Amino acid sequence: NAGVTQTPKFRILKIGQSMTLQCTQDMNHNYMYWYRQDPGMGLKLIYYSVGAGITDKGEVPNGYNVSRSTTEDFPLRLELAAPSQTSVYFCASSYSTGGYGYTFGSGTRLTVV
Amino acid sequence: QKEVEQDPGPLSVPEGAIVSLNCTYSNSAFQYFMWYRQYSRKGPELLMYTYSSGNKEDGRFTAQVDKSSKYISLFIRDSQPSDSATYLCAMSGGSGGSNYKLTFGKGTLLTVNP
């Protein structure tokens, strides 16, 4: 009964470093998403996937990449980290359209220094 | 004009008060409307879900959608300290199969004082 699991929970990166944020769901959801949340700014969609092998850009994709090789996993890759990528990152999944049934992970708090 | 506008607050009320939270939006294609509750350092959790216009009640919570005015509301009756959280409105809908992507408001920080 894990739902959506994100790792790591916290990370500090230096400018120019790269890292992968991991996201796994065990609910057999087709749809998966990555959002970032900045203070007082709500959540912004970075990338999303409608199924294994299919990904597309969201509202703020620059500086990120994703892949979806399995239904369960949807990792987010940061290349050449910049201070502007300091944020809290949430992975989510859903089983249907219409926005219903979204389940969010507990987030990864990333600081780029 | 932003797609979804939400007053960020903060909002502070005494225990037992009725709380009213609101969002306005500009995209007339939105059909699905949600309220999420987010406790500090946690992920958002779905609180209320409404399709199209109308009211929905769940215990102390009532969600209202007025599509003609592009306005949605969440009412919390008999508010409790455990209701202290950030409340995010979210909506989806539109052409091209985009109704699974959510557009969020900025969130309203609510504190209920004992």
Side-chain angles (χ1 to χ4, degrees), chain B:
Chain B
Q1 181 184 12
K2 294 188 183 298
E3 256 194 319
V4 179
E5 300 267 14
Q6 182 177 7
D7 185 343
L11 185 60
S12 181
V13 301
E15 183 175 354
I18 296 174
V19 176
S20 173
L21 304 169
N22 312 292
C23 287
T24 59
Y25 63 95
S26 59
N27 187 346
S28 58
F30 287 144
Q31 301 176 69
Y32 306 93
F33 304 92
M34 289 136 274
W35 286 95
Y36 281 83
R37 179 173 60 194
Q38 185 177 23
Y39 292 114
S40 181
R41 296 184 175 266
K42 299 291 187 183
E45 55 179 345
L46 182 66
L47 191 60
M48 299 289 284
Y49 177 89
T50 310
Y51 170 67
S52 193
S53 285
N55 295 355
K56 185 172 184 178
E57 187 173 322
D58 185 0
R60 296 184 294 110
F61 300 90
T62 299
Q64 291 184 349
V65 175
D66 182 349
K67 289 191 68 179
S68 63
S69 301
K70 297 189 179 67
Y71 187 87
I72 71 171
S73 301
L74 176 70
F75 297 95
I76 307 174
R77 291 182 299 280
D78 187 24
S79 56
Q80 302 295 309
S82 58
D83 295 328
S84 298
T86 296
Y87 290 80
L88 298 140
C89 64
M91 42 202 82
S92 67
S95 60
S98 62
N99 57 1
Y100 45 80
K101 294 185 288 180
L102 300 185
T103 300
F104 284 87
K106 292 184 178 182
T108 300
L109 177 61
L110 171 67
T111 301
V112 181
N113 301 299

Side-chain angles (χ1 to χ4, degrees), chain A residues 7-100:
Chain A
T7 56
K9 293 191 183 302
F10 306 94
R11 183 72 184 269
I12 298 175
L13 277 183
K14 294 184 178 179
I15 295 172
Q17 287 185 322
S18 300
M19 76 165 293
T20 299
L21 282 65
Q22 301 292 344
C23 176
T24 299
Q25 54 94 4
D26 62 358
M27 297 170 285
N28 202 33
H29 287 173
N30 283 329
Y31 304 91
M32 295 190 74
Y33 317 84
W34 275 105
Y35 287 88
R36 61 176 286 173
Q37 185 176 35
D38 300 313
M41 295 301 293
L43 285 84
K44 303 288 186 184
L45 182 63
I46 305 172
Y47 270 95
Y48 66 98
S49 170
V50 301
I54 306 170
T55 63
D56 207 349
K57 296 177 181 179
E59 189 179 356
V60 289
N62 291 344
Y64 308 94
N65 273 302
V66 294
S67 59
R68 183 97 182 268
S69 56
T70 66
T71 299
E72 293 79 20
D73 300 308
F74 190 40
L76 178 71
R77 178 80 176 165
L78 277 72
E79 304 281 2
L80 300 175
S84 61
Q85 293 177 305
T86 293
S87 189
V88 182
Y89 292 84
F90 288 101
C91 179
S93 70
S94 70
Y95 58 82
S96 71
T97 59
Y100 190 75

